[in-house]
Amino acid sequence: MQTKTQRSVSSFNQELKLKGFNVFKIEEDNSATKIYSRKDFYKICLTTGKSIINYSDRSFEQEGTILFFGNPHIPYSWETISTSYVGYTCLFSEDFLNLSERSDSILKSPLFSLGGTPVLKISENQRLFLNAIFEKMIEEQQTDYSLKDDLIRNYIHLILHEALKMQPSENYAQHQSAASRLTNVFLELLERQFPIETADSPLQLRTPQDYADNLSVHVNYLNKSIKEVTGKSTSTHISERIVTEAKALLQHTNWNVSEVAYALGFDYPTYFNNYFKRLTGTTPKAIRS
């Protein structure tokens, strides 16, 4: 099936995808929380507060000011612990940064690599310096300057080079149980498959084996870990999330049932109807009506 039907997404997400870049403040009251497709964008965060970051198979517990580098190809999750949490977030696509000839080596640096150091402790002097750069980017993205994208790329490169000059914190990874780490990155990877915005690119990861392959672990080990930590099977987590997305597509788009089925990775609408009814006790058409 081929379709060009697009799902309506947040205006922030639409603007981000159009420009390939956005920078904003993290507000204390979280009123400025942005919703975007994390599978598409690199992320740099300068934050002050207390949180736990689960990055691939490692965990980082931090307090104070840090600089974090997120790679859209590596699952990570972020749990905020403190009530006061402030800073800046910069999001950019690989295409946006790769318009610069210098960018390929930067994206392959330890800051964004699987075995690298995605979290750096920041001193007060470093915080003030980086704050000024983020403020410059926020200011610049509002201007009509014809070469502002080039200027913003330069600011991003400045942040990245400053980070590469810092000595990575030793023994920064916290010892969390292997099952908990794996569960955290599985749940993040699961959530990263959504929202479905077009039926042209159907859901790719639909089975426990798909997720095990993506996380480079044996499926039996994945199942055991997920069950141990959450009390639910891997299949249950996947099914519940697919059903939640199916309901959203049925209620908030004009896609027909065949398009919804295809978008969620079902080869035939009848397979989707049976799957949905088995898990919810009702039919897709009943949800829509």
Side-chain angles (χ1 to χ4, degrees):
M1 178 192 301
Q2 294 295 321
T3 177
K4 297 299 181 184
T5 308
Q6 296 289 322
R7 179 184 186 179
S8 176
V9 295
S10 70
S11 58
F12 175 82
N13 198 56
Q14 290 174 328
E15 182 182 7
L16 178 58
K17 289 196 169 187
L18 179 64
K19 295 181 177 178
F21 166 83
N22 204 296
V23 60
F24 54 90
K25 282 187 176 182
I26 302 170
E27 305 290 350
E28 283 193 79
D29 60 2
N30 291 323
S31 62
T33 299
K34 312 295 185 182
I35 299 174
Y36 65 98
S37 298
R38 280 174 285 183
K39 56 193 171 187
D40 295 328
F41 296 95
Y42 287 83
K43 181 177 187 178
I44 304 174
C45 287
L46 178 68
T47 63
T48 301
K50 186 175 182 180
S51 62
I52 298 175
I53 301 169
N54 300 296
Y55 186 87
S56 184
D57 62 347
R58 294 177 293 163
S59 293
F60 302 87
E61 184 171 352
Q62 66 83 24
E63 187 169 8
T65 301
I66 63 161
L67 197 57
F68 169 77
F69 301 89
N71 183 332
H73 308 296
I74 300 175
Y76 63 87
S77 61
W78 195 308
E79 178 186 355
T80 300
I81 297 175
S82 56
T83 55
S84 176
Y85 208 85
V86 296
Y88 301 88
T89 294
C90 170
L91 302 166
F92 58 91
S93 68
E94 189 168 346
D95 287 342
F96 177 85
L97 205 63
N98 271 346
L99 290 175
S100 166
E101 296 177 354
R102 300 171 291 167
S103 302
D104 189 53
S105 61
I106 290 288
L107 295 181
K108 293 179 181 177
S109 73
L111 300 173
F112 293 108
S113 65
L114 184 60
T117 304
V119 180
L120 295 173
K121 292 288 287 184
I122 300 299
S123 70
E124 180 61 14
N125 285 339
Q126 290 168 334
R127 184 188 71 81
L128 293 173
F129 175 74
L130 293 168
N131 273 2
I133 298 176
F134 276 96
E135 286 290 345
K136 282 287 189 182
M137 287 195 289
I138 289 174
E139 178 183 335
E140 197 59 47
Q141 75 177 352
Q142 304 300 325
T143 71
D144 296 325
Y145 178 46
S146 61
L147 298 178
K148 69 178 180 181
D149 284 357
D150 288 336
L151 184 53
I152 287 170
R153 288 186 197 97
N154 287 335
Y155 286 135
I156 293 175
H157 278 103
L158 181 56
I159 293 172
L160 294 173
H161 283 294
E162 286 297 318
L164 288 170
K165 291 191 310 186
M166 297 176 193
Q167 180 67 34
S169 301
E170 298 294 332
N171 301 318
Y172 203 58
Q174 302 297 306
H175 296 289
Q176 189 183 38
S177 77
S180 294
R181 290 197 303 268
L182 183 58
T183 299
N184 284 327
V185 294
F186 160 75
L187 292 173
E188 170 62 23
L189 183 58
L190 173 62
E191 191 59 35
R192 192 172 292 191
Q193 309 312 305
F194 306 95
I196 301 295
E197 296 172 9
T198 173
D200 289 340
S201 301
L203 188 65
Q204 296 298 306
L205 305 182
R206 291 191 60 249
T207 69
Q209 186 65 61
D210 291 337
Y211 283 88
D213 291 343
N214 197 275
L215 295 170
S216 300
V217 297
H218 194 282
V219 67
N220 291 344
Y221 179 61
L222 176 64
N223 289 331
K224 181 177 182 295
S225 298
I226 302 301
K227 183 72 172 179
E228 176 185 320
V229 174
T230 69
K232 295 181 181 180
S233 69
T234 311
S235 296
T236 298
H237 281 287
I238 296 170
S239 297
E240 288 179 349
R241 189 60 185 86
I242 289 175
V243 165
T244 296
E245 188 69 6
K247 289 178 179 178
L249 291 171
L250 291 166
Q251 293 172 344
H252 302 298
T253 74
N254 61 358
W255 300 5
N256 60 45
V257 173
S258 295
E259 288 176 315
V260 172
Y262 183 78
L264 293 172
F266 293 87
D267 292 331
Y268 301 101
T270 52
Y271 292 173
F272 170 63
N273 286 333
N274 293 337
Y275 179 92
F276 191 88
K277 187 171 184 178
R278 175 168 58 84
L279 292 170
T280 67
T282 188
T283 65
K285 288 186 177 180
I287 290 292
R288 169 151 285 171
S289 62

